[in-house]
Amino acid sequence: MNQGSSLSVDEPKDIMVSQNGMFCAGFYAVGENAYSFAIWFSEPNHQTKILTLVWMANREQPVNGKGSKLHLLHNGNLILRDTDESHVWSTNTVALSSVHLILLNTGNLVLQGNGVTLWQSFDYPTDTLLPQQVFNRHSKLVCSRSETNKSSGFYTLYFDNDNILRILYDGPEVSSIFWPDPWLTDWQAKRAGYNNSKVAVLNTLGNFSSSDDFNFMTSDYGDAMMQRRLRLDSDGNIRTYSRKQSGQNWCISWQAKSRPCRIQGVCGVNSLCSYYSNSVKCACLPGYKMKNQQDWAYGCEPEFSLSCNKTQLRFLVITNVELYGYDYGIMTNYTLEQCKDLCLQLCNCKGIQFTYVKDGTGIPGTYTCYPKMQLRNAYRIPYFNADLHLKLPLNSTYTYTESMDDKYKLACSSNPKTVTLATSYTKFHEGRDKRNESISWVKEIMDPNIEEGYDENEVEALAEVALQCVEEEKDKRPTMSHVVEVLHKISRENDNQESTST
């Protein structure tokens, strides 16, 4: 694209294509009669339904679908004008010599003059990083509001003042950093802030390297011919996507959070996050209703009003619920009744989380009370050893009967012989009081070829410790001495059974 020329939204053929044919740049419809100038991965036969955007110029201010143009002026400025000739976006560049705009094979849109780069899209990313695109102290990735709404969302990836790469959740009501886990020191998170550089890059082989010592390799690392992209998705998770060639579906080759429910704000306030069909499922807590029927980011609001009179209140138990943050305090060596009584005395207390905390050193743990002043970041996980006691009016009839096995199960495979261990484990605990339970959860996870050649109690013990070992937070994982102790206990019980039978 040379000086004095323009691209028009009215002309579908006004598209720039990289020399290798991998990328296109032009006007992209982001809504009804709303267009942004964007860069995307090209698709065969000019398919437009599945375009993968990697950059947008006017993300927050789309232009009209009639009469809007991108101009490369004679003074070297690249400018986007709406149908009324108003200036929507520009590079703010000036050149005395001739300049031209080119879309490189890397997906970088570059404005050059006399071999000098005056401006490039790689310096102003939206939600995506491409291979060889340098992410620095001036860079930010801001997610989209949703897959269909391309305006800026609530999550931002950036280098903080301490030189650490972080994700910030800046929601409708609260903001907080949640990655790396805020309760970890930089050392525990394997980050190094003691450097004077802020640089990160994803290379063509699938290796991501950052100056704060955060590094990862994609699952398909080593193939330089793969098409790759790193994106901060609308749910707040960083993922890398790969595919062999245009026209194919994208595959996730790495992600920062393996459990999306642990991303702050994913379901909003007063809600409960669970897993369903390889994605998250949001639901309002009992007694609460959705604030915005179109957007879970705003969470839920109460259908009731709470009295400060403790005789007019009750608690509803929801098992296996984790809630992060917004505690009145951390009360150790509390009984459940003491914990409830404390919450009843606090008018603004919304409920309590009560759990048995082990210190991991072999010393007996303590029962700990967490009075919650706000109900945020709640998610249900079958093997988490804590319960939420939700504060409700005494005369209310709210209940919690949703089954994790039904609505919130993980759909990990279409193979009927493949069973999710966590789901089966939940079945057992939800049905442990049913004395006439005819189907054993253990039988569901065992290889049918083994038939009856195992002890169900042993399998249950092994499954429980296995689930604890894959906890995302290292402090919640058992120590190796505890694992060995469990194995020794099973072994001793086997020896005793054999000696008894002998």
Side-chain angles (χ1 to χ4, degrees), residues 204-445:
T204 56
L205 297 176
N207 181 78
F208 182 88
S209 180
S210 174
S211 55
D212 67 350
D213 283 352
F214 174 68
N215 304 280
F216 70 82
M217 290 189 294
T218 59
S219 59
D220 52 10
Y221 171 78
D223 190 346
M225 302 305 294
M226 296 284 284
Q227 295 184 7
R228 303 181 188 278
R229 59 189 173 97
L230 180 149
R231 188 175 75 164
L232 178 60
D233 286 335
S234 57
D235 65 355
N237 209 350
I238 314 172
R239 298 181 178 91
T240 56
Y241 296 86
S242 308
R243 67 179 183 180
K244 285 283 188 182
Q245 59 188 13
S246 298
Q248 293 183 341
N249 293 328
W250 292 95
C251 295
I252 298 173
S253 52
W254 177 86
Q255 61 181 355
K257 286 285 190 179
S258 59
R259 296 175 184 167
C261 276
R262 301 191 64 176
I263 297 173
Q264 291 187 20
V266 68
C267 285
V269 66
N270 301 321
S271 64
L272 184 65
C273 181
S274 302
Y275 298 107
Y276 178 68
S277 297
N278 298 325
S279 63
V280 298
K281 179 72 177 180
C282 299
C284 289
L285 290 167
Y288 292 82
K289 63 180 180 180
M290 197 172 175
K291 275 187 181 179
N292 184 335
Q293 294 298 321
Q294 307 300 320
D295 198 340
W296 272 106
Y298 295 91
C300 306
E301 58 187 358
E303 299 177 313
F304 55 84
S305 58
L306 285 176
S307 167
C308 277
N309 185 346
K310 61 168 58 178
T311 63
Q312 300 299 315
L313 300 168
R314 70 181 180 96
F315 289 94
L316 175 65
V317 182
I318 305 177
T319 60
N320 309 116
V321 175
E322 166 76 295
L323 296 98
Y324 170 72
Y326 306 95
D327 305 309
Y328 173 77
I330 301 175
M331 315 299 176
T332 57
N333 287 321
Y334 263 54
T335 66
L336 178 58
E337 291 307 314
Q338 286 176 322
C339 190
K340 287 182 179 180
D341 189 61
L342 176 59
C343 185
L344 291 173
Q345 294 177 40
L346 301 169
C347 290
N348 293 327
C349 178
K350 308 300 183 185
I352 62 169
Q353 182 179 342
F354 191 74
T355 185
Y356 183 75
V357 178
K358 293 181 282 189
D359 64 2
T361 62
I363 301 174
T366 58
Y367 283 98
T368 305
C369 168
Y370 302 88
K372 295 291 178 178
M373 309 311 286
Q374 295 187 45
L375 300 173
R376 295 184 181 272
N377 311 314
Y379 66 96
R380 195 174 186 210
I381 192 164
Y383 48 87
F384 185 70
N385 184 31
D387 297 332
L388 167 64
H389 296 255
L390 188 63
K391 192 176 179 181
L392 295 170
L394 181 63
N395 59 358
S396 65
T397 58
Y398 302 115
T399 59
Y400 184 80
T401 57
E402 198 72 55
S403 171
M404 285 283 286
D405 177 50
D406 179 19
K407 192 171 182 179
Y408 299 135
K409 67 182 178 180
L410 274 169
C412 291
S413 174
S414 58
N415 183 350
K417 293 184 179 180
T418 303
V419 178
T420 308
L421 177 58
T423 301
S424 295
Y425 182 72
T426 306
K427 275 187 185 177
F428 165 72
H429 278 269
E430 289 183 349
R432 58 189 165 191
D433 294 327
K434 300 177 183 177
R435 304 302 179 187
N436 297 323
E437 190 80 28
S438 59
I439 300 177
S440 168
W441 74 280
V442 171
K443 290 181 180 179
E444 293 189 24
I445 67 170

Side-chain angles (χ1 to χ4, degrees), residues 418-487:
T418 303
V419 178
T420 308
L421 177 58
T423 301
S424 295
Y425 182 72
T426 306
K427 275 187 185 177
F428 165 72
H429 278 269
E430 289 183 349
R432 58 189 165 191
D433 294 327
K434 300 177 183 177
R435 304 302 179 187
N436 297 323
E437 190 80 28
S438 59
I439 300 177
S440 168
W441 74 280
V442 171
K443 290 181 180 179
E444 293 189 24
I445 67 170
M446 296 301 293
D447 187 338
N449 295 324
I450 299 178
E451 296 180 345
E452 300 297 330
Y454 59 86
D455 184 283
E456 291 190 11
N457 292 328
E458 292 178 8
V459 174
E460 179 195 330
L462 290 172
E464 187 164 358
V465 74
L467 288 168
Q468 293 171 355
C469 286
V470 296
E471 270 283 357
E472 190 167 299
E473 295 178 37
K474 70 180 186 66
D475 292 338
K476 292 181 180 179
R477 301 175 202 148
T479 61
M480 283 308 300
S481 59
H482 175 70
V483 175
V484 171
E485 181 183 342
V486 172
L487 297 177

